Amino acid sequence: MQAPAASLSLIVPNGYGTSFCGYCKSASGRTSLGAGSTSLQPTVYQDLIDRGWRRSGTYIYKPDCRNSCCPNYTIRLDATNYESRKDQRKTINAWNKFVIGPDYRAQAARLCPRTREEKKWRKNRFDLLTAVHEVESPRLQRPTDPKTQEPIRPAHEFEVRLESDNYTEEKYQLFENYQRNVHKENPRELSRSGFRRFLCSGLGQTDRDVDGIKQKLGSYHQCYRLDGRLVAIGVLDLLPGCVSSVYLIYHQDVKEWYFGKLSAMREIALAIEGGYKYYYMGEPQSALSLSDLRLTDRLLHSFVYQDALQESISTVLYLRLVDRLQVLSIVGLSPTNQTDPETYAWDRLDADILNRLSARKYVSMSVERQLRLPPTKVTSIEELGLNNDELTRYHRYQQQQNPFGTRHRGEHISAFTVGMPGIMSLAQVQSEIPLGRWMVKIRNNMFVHLDDLQGWAEWDIRDETSLKAYVAELAAALGPGLVNQLVLAFTP
């Protein structure tokens, strides 16, 4: 059969495995189930990230939170209820003053003074949408100076544009400056091909109308230009239900202006203006250290080991939970929610969850409630008062294992074997998903079903090395809904 390939979301199974951890620098501590996809529709990717999947270029993967050295938890902000904090307002006000300069401010106050009501309103309220746009060149007031008969000019021309995520040499030069000077990466490890692969190969772009708003979907670069010079890029995935921030790069010359905070507030504004509702902050595209997770400007300056509520920004934040670091808290966001890695339900990120994250390496609130676990560290299992079935579940819940055991790390092992949380069991896959009817793309845009492949009926689904096992494992991590939206391919 034939199908319109351009509208399909294709996925290439890659299996379960380990990789380098950018948090604790473990060579193979991160475990995940992965797949490739050179054709992924934004609507499908929205469902994927809400089931714990992430994207790095054209590679998508679902972390195994329980068996990884550093578990990842997804957090989101309802952008429509974003409440700014003093340090954020101070940051954007300082940037705006820098852009317009003291001469412009004085002239504008003389030529087009604000009314008393306007001054009172601005003093007592902070309007995010006004603040992020008011010094952009196309929107900036330019009254004519009667002495010179010329429009007054700001100190700098500032422009922000949402552009295609295509490659340009200008963008690569900014990326190279950022990685080399801000992250101190070895220049020999940077390449144009790597930049293209990870930050210029995102989702397909399309538009749709939502309640009268023209909403962009797909991967974009939000480009910040100062006096015509590209100084920052926010790499974004615009999805039906969120603005997902993938990465931020900025030139070392503007480091003092905290572009992490500035871009976060602008991306929250984009989520509000575009009708996306939620704002997610994504994981970096290369294995970076904790301070590289867009946190240096945005979080670490304000609250590590100090006030964990101070830097309340919107986000999908990946929390590193190790003994020598306190849990990074963003309870100050309202409302901020964390997804359960086993049920994918959203829980309010409050002091109770933060205490549990601090007490245990891996936390699923659904299991915590079922086992009636305290928010503090368990010092005696007997004190929990669990019955035999609950005790067995508790040990399974908290037991982290070396997924490969005595096996060679190049050898395939199934996510079923290691008990990866948040996926269907093999029995559930067999009863709830008709694997044989999953569509597969073959040569020349021809499509067949899996049960049309020679040997499909004979392959053993319990043989970890068989194609049927690979497919079942992927289906378990996707769930029935996503299986119906994705087309398999066995070559990119």
Side-chain angles (χ1 to χ4, degrees):
M1 76 182 86
Q2 289 185 315
S7 63
L8 296 177
S9 290
L10 304 177
I11 189 168
V12 183
N14 194 60
Y16 183 92
T18 64
S19 62
F20 173 80
C21 177
Y23 302 95
C24 68
K25 306 303 181 183
S26 170
S28 56
R30 299 192 71 180
T31 55
S32 63
L33 182 68
S37 179
T38 56
S39 173
L40 195 60
Q41 299 302 311
T43 52
V44 175
Y45 187 57
Q46 175 75 67
D47 292 340
L48 282 167
I49 64 171
D50 285 340
R51 285 186 62 85
W53 288 77
R54 323 247 191 267
R55 180 179 73 83
S56 179
T58 58
Y59 186 73
I60 60 173
Y61 59 101
K62 178 176 173 56
D64 181 344
C65 292
R66 186 170 63 207
N67 295 315
S68 288
C69 53
C70 301
N72 300 156
Y73 297 94
T74 301
I75 299 170
R76 73 182 184 186
L77 166 73
D78 182 347
T80 59
N81 288 321
Y82 166 71
E83 297 179 2
S84 65
R85 298 187 69 91
K86 182 177 180 180
D87 62 300
Q88 297 164 9
R89 296 191 293 271
K90 182 178 178 180
T91 296
I92 198 164
N93 288 337
W95 171 256
N96 288 349
K97 289 179 181 178
F98 164 74
V99 171
I100 61 176
D103 291 344
Y104 175 93
R105 290 180 62 201
Q107 291 176 303
R110 175 171 54 87
L111 298 174
C112 47
R114 295 190 179 110
T115 66
R116 180 179 299 176
E117 290 74 18
E118 287 176 321
K119 291 178 181 179
K120 183 178 179 180
W121 189 91
R122 291 176 69 91
K123 181 178 179 180
N124 297 319
R125 297 185 183 182
F126 175 80
D127 184 79
L128 176 67
L129 303 186
T130 298
V132 300
H133 293 304
E134 66 179 347
V135 299
E136 293 176 2
S137 292
R139 302 194 184 198
L140 195 64
Q141 288 185 318
R142 298 172 188 265
T144 299
D145 187 336
K147 294 181 180 180
T148 64
Q149 296 300 308
E150 295 287 339
I152 63 174
R153 295 181 179 277
H156 304 280
E157 297 290 341
F158 180 55
E159 184 179 15
V160 182
R161 291 176 54 189
L162 197 63
E163 303 178 3
S164 173
D165 67 338
N166 64 315
Y167 172 90
T168 68
E169 183 63 19
E170 180 186 34
K171 292 177 182 178
Y172 174 73
Q173 290 300 325
L174 177 63
F175 171 78
E176 190 272 341
N177 176 276
Y178 176 76
Q179 297 298 123
R180 180 170 47 84
N181 293 296
V182 178
H183 289 309
K184 310 302 180 184
E185 286 196 16
N186 188 332
R188 290 178 295 182
E189 296 177 357
L190 304 174
S191 68
R192 289 168 174 79
S193 60
F195 175 66
R196 287 178 187 269
R197 183 169 63 251
F198 292 122
L199 298 179
C200 302
S201 58
L203 312 174
Q205 298 170 359
T206 185
D207 294 337
R208 69 173 187 172
D209 289 325
V210 179
D211 298 329
I213 299 174
K214 187 176 182 180
Q215 191 180 73
K216 293 180 180 294
L217 297 179
S219 296
Y220 291 86
H221 289 164
Q222 185 147 265
C223 296
Y224 300 75
R225 288 184 169 84
L226 187 67
D227 297 327
R229 176 190 176 200
L230 184 65
V231 295
I233 300 174
V235 183
L236 306 176
D237 287 337
L238 305 183
L239 307 177
C242 73
V243 171
S244 176
S245 179
V246 179
Y247 203 49
L248 171 72
I249 57 179
Y250 55 84
H251 198 278
Q252 62 173 341
D253 290 350
V254 297
K255 184 178 181 180
E256 65 179 292
W257 298 107
Y258 303 109
F259 258 79
K261 289 181 184 179
L262 292 173
S263 65
M265 287 184 279
R266 183 168 288 274
E267 289 159 12
I268 296 169
L270 177 60
I272 296 170
E273 293 169 323
Y276 300 100
K277 186 173 175 62
Y278 291 104
Y279 178 57
Y280 292 60
M281 188 172 76
E283 195 169 24
Q285 296 305 310
S286 57
L288 304 175
S289 66
L290 175 67
S291 62
D292 293 335
L293 296 181
R294 292 192 65 181
L295 303 181
T296 302
D297 295 347
R298 190 174 290 194
L299 299 174
L300 297 182
H301 278 297
S302 61
F303 68 68
V304 174
Y305 303 114
Q306 301 174 30
D307 176 7
L309 308 184
Q310 185 176 348
E311 183 69 8
S312 54
I313 6 197
S314 52
T315 144
V316 164
L317 174 62
Y318 300 92
L319 303 173
R320 180 187 177 186
L321 305 175
V322 293
D323 292 340
R324 67 178 182 273
L325 276 181
Q326 296 179 4
V327 177
L328 297 179
S329 161
I330 51 170
V331 172
L333 287 175
S334 177
T336 304
N337 296 296
Q338 174 187 303
T339 189
D340 188 307
E342 300 204 12
T343 66
Y344 308 114
W346 292 96
D347 293 296
R348 179 66 180 267
L349 183 60
D350 55 16
D352 178 70
I353 291 184
L354 290 169
N355 287 335
R356 295 172 190 272
L357 289 169
S358 182
R360 288 178 276 285
K361 186 172 184 180
Y362 170 69
V363 172
S364 162
M365 286 304 297
S366 60
V367 178
E368 298 266 326
R369 295 187 185 102
Q370 291 167 4
L371 297 179
R372 305 176 302 282
L373 298 182
T376 56
K377 187 174 183 179
V378 175
T379 56
S380 172
I381 297 178
E382 289 73 18
E383 294 178 359
L384 296 176
L386 303 177
N387 61 37
N388 289 338
D389 289 341
E390 291 172 335
L391 192 59
T392 298
R393 185 169 189 191
Y394 172 78
H395 285 301
R396 186 171 63 248
Y397 171 57
Q398 285 298 291
Q399 180 182 12
Q400 184 187 29
Q401 49 184 303
N402 174 3
F404 285 85
T406 58
R407 298 193 191 192
H408 187 275
R409 290 200 172 263
E411 183 180 352
H412 176 68
I413 189 171
S414 172
F416 296 126
T417 302
V418 301
M420 180 176 175
I423 70 172
M424 302 171 69
S425 68
L426 180 57
Q428 288 175 318
V429 171
Q430 290 177 298
S431 64
E432 298 178 27
I433 299 178
L435 285 181
R437 305 309 295 165
W438 201 347
M439 187 178 291
V440 185
K441 177 189 174 186
I442 56 176
R443 61 185 181 276
N444 299 325
N445 280 337
M446 295 297 296
F447 296 82
V448 299
H449 294 114
L450 282 172
D451 56 13
D452 293 325
L453 300 179
Q454 185 176 2
W456 174 259
E458 289 74 34
W459 290 332
D460 184 359
I461 199 170
R462 288 181 168 77
D463 178 0
E464 294 179 352
T465 63
S466 74
L467 177 62
K468 187 177 287 188
Y470 266 85
V471 169
E473 177 185 60
L474 179 60
L478 294 172
L482 278 163
V483 166
N484 290 333
Q485 298 180 68
L486 289 160
V487 173
L488 286 169
F490 296 111
T491 56

